[in-house]
Amino acid sequence: MASKTLTEYERKRLENIKRNDEMIASLMLQHKAADLSSSIKRLKPQIRPLKRHSPEKNNKAPVVIRRSLRARGIPPDAAAKGSPPPPPSPAKSPSLTIRDASSNAPGKDRRLFETVARMCENAPLSPPKRMSSTDGPLDLRSLKLEPEHVARIISGRIMTVQFFPFVDRRVVAVGSKLGKVSFWDVDRGLDGGDDADDDGVYLYDPHTSPVSGISIQPFSLSKVLTSSYDGFIRSMDVEKETFNMSYSGDDAIYSLSQRPLETNVYFGEGQGGLKVWDERAGKVLSSYSLHEKRINTIDFSSCNANLMATSSTDGTACIWDLRKISNHRPASLRIHQHEKAVHSAYFSPSGSCLATTSIDNRIGILSGDNFMDVSMIRHDNQTGRWLSSFRVIWGWDDSYVFVGNMKRAVDVISTVKKTTKAMESPLMTAIPCRFAAHPYRHGTLASTTSGGQIYMWTSI
DNA sequence: TCTCAATTTATCCTC
DNA sequence: GAGGATCCAATTGAGA
């Protein structure tokens, strides 16, 4: 294929497909060997429905972390001598294998690797598309919550949730306040599973503080970036089976994002700082002071990747033009002022609107030329101390947004009519705070809670 | 003007 | 079922 005819996205995709083919071949060999030595029956996996844990059951919850002695900072001979193990080192090793960070039963990780490898093979040669007028509007009344789409997949408060950009599969990644990262392969059953206890949940422990961001680029599906208040950005590489440190700093990292088609990492650090990190070269490309207080979210416009939106606890949401630098920082195209901290600012699927969420009980919808048309919608955003703050996200077109509701529901707000409707379900027993919309499967919405639960709404 | 204590609020766990 | 513990948010307001 002549490279001249390929877009940058396609070229990166093809490079990855080639690498993934090699990985699949390797995995298949290992898988066959495992099959020979194991007589585990292939059973359809069961996703545990959400229910309150009894104390006894809770002790069995996937909180116990199994890591190597090295990863726990324990000298090899200490265990051999029978001396009591010292407490785990507060700082994790820069270099971790996935096995070191894994809390899963031996061999279980490999199923996740295989799924990722298979999905890489089927990855699309185009980025996710927003809904077109020919798709027709999505009937939000068709979104339902089924018992098999409810699960507790991590302990503690979920801080961030992302879908893998797989076309034909629903796999979510969540990060918790305790520094853990969990993956839920909802469609595990489609493989005809080989383990009765394989619930499709894979738990890892890469950070020592809250996980603030997860990023997965469509052209590099086997690499998952995670950021944390512990000052680390880690890169989970399924091909190399590592969870290595990509970046480390002294300040907490509160937000993480990547531009489309780019491997550089944008993250909010400390009190209002933003850095651009070249992951391949391992160096900081740019460092800016954009806000007076922490940056809660970073997002890029789909129609113009030079436009970046940030939200901050300093009470503002800003749109920056990365092509123009003035006063040693990107030129501010638009500053949207709230009365209190702003917890999110996300561009719409078309890139022509911006939705902001603030503690001041308002949701802002910015549109029009230079985002100068502003609609402020009242909404109860008082989540208090124990819940993750609400963050409005867009659906699959520009006509509505999703946000949590303190009465254990999902509010759907029409950006056109400015009306709010609540999606409720008796299965939803906790308040959904953080959301993710599946990039390819319109109508698949993940909502997560401060108790580690995930509710995946699907369009029927 | 600055510092710091009090307050809010949901969920899990133990009894 | 009641009540305690949680505690890396953010704000408010009293007091120095």
Side-chain angles (χ1 to χ4, degrees), chain A residues 173-186:
Chain A
V174 302
S176 81
K177 193 176 68 70
L178 301 174
K180 300 176 193 302
V181 173
S182 184
F183 302 96
W184 185 25
D185 182 358
V186 183

Side-chain angles (χ1 to χ4, degrees), chain A residues 96-398:
Chain A
L96 284 179
T97 65
I98 287 181
R99 187 62 238 160
D100 288 336
S102 174
S103 301
N104 305 307
K108 188 177 178 183
D109 299 318
R110 191 144 301 283
R111 291 175 210 135
L112 176 65
F113 303 164
E114 288 170 4
T115 298
V116 173
R118 254 196 324 277
M119 292 302 109
C120 289
E121 203 180 26
N122 300 326
L125 285 171
S126 62
K129 284 181 181 173
R130 64 190 177 95
M131 289 180 80
S132 67
S133 55
T134 55
D135 293 332
L138 179 71
D139 183 3
L140 294 169
R141 289 172 300 184
S142 70
L143 264 64
K144 304 289 181 197
L145 189 57
E146 302 294 333
E148 63 269 28
H149 293 152
V150 175
R152 189 191 306 277
I153 63 171
I154 207 164
S155 57
R157 184 194 307 179
I158 292 177
M159 305 283 289
T160 182
V161 55
Q162 287 287 334
F163 271 101
F164 271 83
F166 296 154
V167 177
D168 297 323
R169 193 127 175 160
R170 296 166 297 182
V171 182
V172 284
V174 302
S176 81
K177 193 176 68 70
L178 301 174
K180 300 176 193 302
V181 173
S182 184
F183 302 96
W184 185 25
D185 182 358
V186 183
D187 297 316
R188 174 72 189 146
L190 299 178
D191 301 336
D194 56 358
D195 237 332
D197 63 350
D198 186 359
D199 51 7
V201 176
Y202 307 89
L203 183 65
Y204 301 91
D205 186 21
H207 293 286
T208 56
S209 295
V211 178
S212 53
I214 295 174
S215 180
I216 310 164
Q217 286 285 49
F219 60 78
S220 182
L221 293 167
S222 59
K223 189 174 276 191
V224 180
L225 294 177
T226 60
S227 63
S228 167
Y229 289 15
D230 64 14
F232 283 10
I233 294 174
R234 286 195 178 272
S235 172
M236 179 185 187
D237 192 321
V238 174
E239 294 176 32
K240 297 175 183 167
E241 301 188 14
T242 55
F243 224 132
N244 286 342
M245 183 188 73
S246 173
Y247 169 88
S248 74
D250 295 332
D251 295 318
I253 297 172
Y254 294 110
S255 45
L256 175 78
S257 189
Q258 287 179 280
R259 290 165 88 180
L261 308 178
E262 198 180 277
T263 56
N264 291 340
V265 183
Y266 294 69
F267 61 95
E269 186 183 55
Q271 294 304 305
L274 182 135
K275 282 182 178 171
V276 185
W277 174 251
D278 183 334
E279 222 232 331
R280 288 180 176 169
K283 64 178 183 182
V284 174
L285 297 177
S286 308
S287 181
Y288 308 113
S289 180
L290 300 187
H291 288 273
E292 291 177 11
K293 293 185 178 176
R294 57 191 256 182
I295 296 173
N296 294 308
T297 60
I298 303 166
D299 192 33
F300 296 95
S301 167
S302 62
C303 65
N304 182 355
N306 293 307
L307 295 186
M308 177 180 73
T310 54
S311 64
S312 170
T313 299
D314 69 7
T316 63
C318 298
I319 299 173
W320 312 89
D321 189 336
L322 295 174
R323 292 165 299 188
K324 301 172 186 171
I325 306 290
S326 63
N327 296 326
H328 307 292
R329 64 179 192 174
S332 173
L333 190 68
R334 176 86 168 85
I335 299 174
H336 177 58
Q337 185 75 48
H338 276 270
E339 290 177 10
K340 294 181 181 174
V342 186
H343 274 280
S344 72
Y346 293 126
F347 285 106
S348 64
S350 76
S352 59
C353 302
L354 187 82
T356 63
T357 321
S358 170
I359 297 286
D360 69 4
N361 281 346
R362 285 184 171 81
I363 288 167
I365 304 293
L366 282 62
S367 58
D369 290 343
N370 292 326
F371 301 90
M372 293 304 287
D373 298 337
V374 179
S375 296
M376 299 300 279
I377 300 165
R378 287 202 68 80
H379 188 269
D380 179 10
N381 296 332
Q382 300 302 309
T383 51
R385 182 179 188 171
W386 310 117
L387 301 184
S388 295
S389 56
F390 286 161
R391 290 179 178 176
V392 165
I393 70 151
W394 291 90
W396 299 271
D397 62 33
D398 289 11

